[in-house]
Amino acid sequence: MTAPLRSGESTVVPVALNERAYDIVIGRGLLASLGARIKALRAGARVALVTDESVARHHLAAAEAALKSAGIEAARITVPDGEGSKSYGTFEKVCEAIVAARIERGDLVVALGGGVIGDLAGFAAASVRRGLDYVQVPTTLLAQVDSSVGGKNLVGAFHQPVMVIADTALLDTLPKRQFRAGYAEVAKYGLLGDAAFFAWLEKNWQDVFNGGPAREHAIAVCCRAKAGIVARDERETGERALLNLGHTFGHALEAGCGFSDRLLHGEAVALGMVLAFDFSARKRLIAAAEAERARAHLAAVGLPTHIKDIAGGVPGVDELMDLIAQDKKVKRGKLTFILVRGIGQAFIANDVDAAEVRAFLAEQFK
Ligand code: MG
């Protein structure tokens, strides 16, 4: 299990990609140091603070106070909640607001929010004045472990933040269900490549949920794992595909539920990982007991682990197979899946028989 650097009240995970290096600083209560950290990074910079309405209700006042205490002038840009803000209309408004606030090159955009805000603010920062730097302050567990590492592919261009501040206390205000969904991606890092971390999660998950020191540690392990995979993948090892563990089955289920509240992304990933483990057991790649251990942990934290757990049900096998085929190109009846040879031993299988997947899915509905 990787041991991230720890200094004082925070853990620092360095990310070095595309010749641009930045730090992810992880710790409880870090939002209060936002202004001081930005001032240390770029003295004299002004800030456009991009957030959404629900994050604003909980955390905007604290963020603005932190900036003000460091003497930093900030323009506030608030967009509506939810996936609906992932639109060109909202993107255009954010860009216009950044320009109207007279944010110049050398100034900073700060993204205070979850994945949608991180993408939106990052994309806007990349687009205005031929590219502004941005700082990410992720406010969901999913964004802290996932979207803050590795940059966004924006029409072929990667735009990395110059700093990520992951305040683990911000997750205290998340609805439990949303926190649990994010936890599926935390468990994913153990299941795909770090058996010791998975065993540690089995013992310490309650403290991760309760916001104790284990939360900071778990987030740091995930960020470091992803940073390592993404950096190695620049040498085209294909390792990055392992991050899709659970995502092929998961996306099909998510799409089958119409990307609605019936099944959150992380819930779909939890189900997808269980299916990937069970399918691997069916192919005798791992022992059934090992697959059961993966399922048992996800069930213990309250994540769905059977297709029958999905409220309102899901479409049948035919539609799920169509959705899988849309997601992954089928080549001569063969599909690519991330399968496992054990907990922490995921691999890319690109010769999976579509008929075998269909038979396996049919068993899930019995
Ligand atoms: Mg995901």
Side-chain angles (χ1 to χ4, degrees), residues 8 11 27 40 50 63 74 78 90 93 100 107 154 168 183 205 208 230 247 336 341 351 355 366:
T11 304
V50 182
T78 308
T90 309
K93 279 188 190 127
D107 292 334
L154 305 166
T168 60
Y183 182 86
W205 67 269
V208 175
V230 171
H247 281 64
T336 298
R341 295 193 178 92
D351 59 346
K366 281 183 187 147

Side-chain angles (χ1 to χ4, degrees), residues 79-164:
V79 305
D81 292 352
E83 294 283 323
S85 283
K86 237 175 172 173
S87 68
Y88 272 100
T90 309
F91 165 70
E92 219 178 317
K93 279 188 190 127
V94 172
C95 289
E96 281 166 6
I98 291 171
V99 172
R102 303 212 178 114
I103 299 296
E104 305 290 341
R105 295 200 80 175
D107 292 334
L108 291 166
V109 173
V110 174
L112 175 70
V116 172
I117 290 298
D119 285 357
L120 188 63
F123 197 2
S127 311
V128 173
R129 305 206 193 283
R130 277 172 283 133
L132 297 166
D133 286 338
Y134 76 109
V135 170
Q136 240 180 305
V137 186
T139 59
T140 64
L141 180 55
L142 182 60
Q144 291 194 354
V145 299
D146 205 46
S147 56
S148 56
V149 190
K152 309 280 177 290
N153 193 333
L154 305 166
V155 206
F158 280 94
H159 197 55
Q160 317 274 0
V162 290
M163 177 167 63
V164 176

